[in-house]
Amino acid sequence: MTRDRLPPAAGDPLRQAGRRLAVAFEAFHETHYRKWLAYAHLHTGSEEAALEVTGAAYRRLRLCWPYALKQSSVDSYAWAVLKETVVDWLGANGRGTALTQSAAFAVVTRALLRECQQQFALLESQLGLYEAISRLPERQCDVIVLRHVVGYSDAQIAALLGVDEATVRSHASRGKRRLAAALGIATCPTKGK
């Protein structure tokens, strides 16, 4: 008895599904790579280490990409993979975050200076600001770093952290107030961000 076979319809469905997954992953990679690299650089303190960490995070994410796509927020799941990879690298290398020493924090200073020109002009040293930022609660620190250093919008930060935009703005506002208190300056007026 011979089985009748249907001709393949427009190619192999498994191959097509694999190609769609690969295209989606590459699009995600292209969208986030530079910002992930900047974030990793902030914590590792070197471009070489940042490249290593970012590459490792993307390799981890690629292995579980079909699972990531099933999550309620792909961005949030992927962000957790990056953060875990950074923490793993720091632990494996016996290091703490290089956030305080990172030259990229000059971007934060410039952004906050623009927003609160007179108050932050009183600072004798940028080091106090860097230290204060690194001592913020994790979510407030993440929001300040992601917004002012890495350059994500509030909507993108909300997706990464798995919260709504109002929560991002709340973390930013609380973080700024804590920074102002830690640095002994008046709270900055809020102008959108």
Side-chain angles (χ1 to χ4, degrees):
M1 180 157 108
T2 309
R3 288 191 170 172
D4 292 331
R5 292 189 190 197
L6 294 174
D12 181 3
L14 291 176
R15 183 175 287 164
Q16 289 175 356
R19 181 69 186 133
R20 282 191 301 268
L21 284 174
V23 167
F25 183 82
E26 290 304 318
F28 181 90
H29 182 275
E30 288 297 316
T31 300
H32 296 282
Y33 181 76
R34 293 179 74 201
K35 292 179 179 182
W36 279 29
L37 189 61
Y39 182 83
H41 188 266
L42 284 172
H43 288 283
T44 62
S46 89
E47 189 174 335
E48 183 179 320
L51 288 166
E52 177 185 335
V53 168
T54 304
Y58 275 114
R59 285 189 297 278
R60 280 175 140 173
L61 185 58
R62 182 180 287 254
L63 290 174
C64 61
W65 187 241
Y67 177 78
L69 291 174
K70 293 177 185 174
Q71 301 310 299
S72 59
S73 170
V74 175
D75 285 341
S76 182
Y77 179 83
W79 180 251
V81 170
L82 174 63
K83 285 190 73 168
E84 182 179 302
T85 306
V86 168
V87 168
D88 290 350
W89 185 91
L90 291 171
N93 289 279
R95 295 173 55 185
T97 182
L99 203 58
T100 302
Q101 300 84 15
S102 180
F105 252 75
V107 176
V108 171
T109 304
R110 284 192 302 275
L112 292 174
L113 279 173
R114 264 186 259 113
E115 188 170 325
C116 308
Q117 188 95 27
Q118 293 176 335
Q119 289 91 349
F120 281 106
L122 301 174
L123 294 175
E124 293 178 2
S125 159
Q126 293 178 354
L127 187 58
L129 176 60
Y130 304 154
E131 280 293 329
I133 291 170
S134 71
R135 287 192 307 263
L136 288 173
E138 182 179 2
R139 285 294 174 120
Q140 291 173 16
C141 182
D142 280 347
V143 168
I144 295 293
V145 169
L146 291 171
R147 182 191 267 181
H148 296 290
V149 178
V150 179
Y152 278 117
S153 69
D154 286 354
Q156 291 169 317
I157 295 168
L160 292 174
L161 300 181
V163 298
D164 57 38
E165 287 184 59
T167 302
V168 170
R169 289 188 297 276
S170 175
H171 285 311
S173 178
R174 282 193 231 134
K176 287 181 200 175
R177 282 194 304 272
R178 286 181 91 129
L179 287 173
L183 298 169
I185 57 175
T187 304
C188 303
T190 303
K191 294 181 185 175
K193 280 192 179 180

